[in-house]
Amino acid sequence: MNSFFPSLVIELHNRCEKVILLLENLSLPSEIEPNLKNTIKKSIAIKSDLESILTDPDFGAPELLLNQINSYKRCYESYSLIEKIQLPILLRYSKKDEFFHAFLKYSLSQVNYNIETPLISAASSNYYEVFADKNPVLSSFFVPVVDDLFLLNLPDLFHEIGHLIFFHYEKELSNEFISQLNAHLSKEKSRMIVENRPFNPVFYENFEELWKESWVKEHTSNMIATYCLGQSFGWQCLRICANTGEDVYFPAKIDIKPDDHPSFESQIQGILEILKIMGMTSASSRLNKKWNHYKSICHFEKPTEHDHCYPDHLMKALAQNVFDGCTTIGLKSFISQKHTKNEINIPLILDEAWTLFQTDPKKFLTWEDAAVKSLKASLCKKS
Amino acid sequence: MSNLGVFSHRYSSMSDLSREINDATIIIKKAHYNLAGKKDISPSQLAESRQYLTDVFINLMKNIQPEIHDFDSEIKKPIQLPISFIDHVKNSNKSEMTYFIDDLKKIINHLEKDQNLSLQDLKILDKMCSIMDEETSASFRKFWRKRSI
């Protein structure tokens, strides 16, 4: 390893140099200059970290080799993320990306999340997703390749925006909830002992890890999207569920750790909660009615474990925490968007799209074409 | 929907923590072994590294054994340790937890009082760096595989 390790560091340093050169020679539209500059800056920082390893007077000292290899690995991972995330977007920046950049920029300002616009690529093979970075301008969104032609999926972009907001405001959005989650866990564990019930430690370990590491993030992102868009996010969630055919109560048995996503049933319950807190009770009832109807058609059966995984009082606590957090951060809710007279009002356009889609599907198709054209023209004019 | 949002958040906090623990350990070890680079370490850098690692170990101990009584060191700065890291530490010391807790108390004491580190202290430091590194790499690999399909 002693002779192999320096070669690894030197080779990665060379890669960084080449990538920096490649990026410096790119000619891109002015709106993504900050993204390009920051990607170069990050690549230079990695290169500099590698130089620090190479020029360390103790480079290769047996006492430090383990730690130096660890430092190298973190550099490699950082470089690798640039190569996989930012670099392909910058190298293949297209007209579609340009439209989505304008759309994202406008959406962020409309919900009053004032950050420099992250990168966005309209070439996702993995539906909507976001790579969240501490530096917002290095964060990167991915959207499906034809979604500049349609409206109904767009609420999912707000779910990804929710992830980014959570990344930067975790305390405001979930601290109170985490205290309640911890209290719930202690109470449940004591109850098992007092009532002499069979205690399954794996369930509680997985419950804690899933909630803290994944579910709180997914639910919060849903709730932020609902806070900004109102019911249209809920309708889109129902549509995704119908399209994928997933059992709405999966996962409920968490003795074996499942995937990161919470069940659709709990997601819809979270959305309904936040709609109620926002005072949108009739929207919440409409969504609940359709959701129950969908479940009854598909004959999904609720396992008893479901309520243990997603306790009702915790869902309510999280919704309240997210609502309070959104207010503290200063995000604009759907209710306040309703009263603004912007030339482009994305939450209202999506709300109208979802209403028309359900009331008059045929009319919706022609309306959607015109709305997309008008949205593109207005955003083009603005940028 | 993918879980890239969750991954990136998780990886970012793991990677930051892994770097911080590793960097502080490098400084402590350079000073301890009197290596050539020791001359470039300022007293404040050394003190900060000691304090940082003290906080990491106190946080770790309180997570492993929340009901611990015979221990009066206070955390100067709360550090959020990932659950997977805590579980990994617990599992790798399962059969000798009492001894491990004793070792943690000793290293905290040595770091806090600016005393010389023992061979066992240094072993623990390296072990913690390795576990944090393994967890960070595992989190990174998950992402790597997902995006390589």
Side-chain angles (χ1 to χ4, degrees), chain B residues 117-135:
Chain B
L117 297 181
S118 67
L119 203 61
Q120 185 61 14
D121 292 338
L122 290 158
K123 267 189 190 167
I124 290 192
L125 269 180
D126 277 347
K127 183 79 185 156
M128 290 308 111
C129 285
S130 296
I131 291 180
M132 201 53 228
D133 172 67
E134 276 177 48
E135 287 301 321

Side-chain angles (χ1 to χ4, degrees), chain A residues 49 56-58 63-64 66-67 70-71 73-74 76-78 80-81 84-85 126-132 134 142 156 159-160 163 166-167 170 208-209 212-214 217-218 259-261, chain B residues 1-12 15-16 18-19 22-23 25-26 29-30 33 35-40 82-84 87 126 129-130 133 136-137 140 143-144 146-148:
Chain A
D49 285 347
D56 184 339
D58 304 314
E63 298 90 342
L64 291 181
L66 167 92
N67 307 93
N70 287 351
S71 301
K73 279 197 251 176
R74 297 295 87 76
Y76 173 76
E77 287 159 6
S78 296
S80 192
L81 289 173
K84 278 194 181 254
I85 302 282
N126 211 9
Y127 197 54
Y128 282 78
E129 51 184 5
V130 66
F131 179 84
K134 277 196 290 290
F142 297 87
D156 283 329
H159 169 90
E160 304 304 331
H163 273 292
F166 185 81
F167 188 91
E170 184 170 355
E208 183 176 10
E209 190 173 342
K212 290 186 180 171
E213 302 269 323
S214 314
K217 297 180 179 86
E218 293 298 345
D259 189 30
D260 286 336
H261 275 78
Chain B
M1 276 172 274
S2 87
N3 45 17
L4 185 60
V6 170
F7 154 77
S8 49
H9 194 165
R10 192 184 298 163
Y11 172 74
S12 171
S15 158
D16 284 349
S18 172
R19 272 176 207 267
N22 195 51
D23 289 350
T25 304
I26 290 177
K29 280 166 79 176
K30 278 189 177 205
Y33 291 113
L35 297 176
K38 184 186 173 183
K39 62 178 185 336
D40 304 323
I83 297 174
S84 58
D87 285 347
D126 277 347
C129 285
S130 296
D133 172 67
T136 311
S137 296
F140 180 77
F143 159 78
W144 180 266
K146 266 190 199 308
R147 291 198 81 78
S148 299

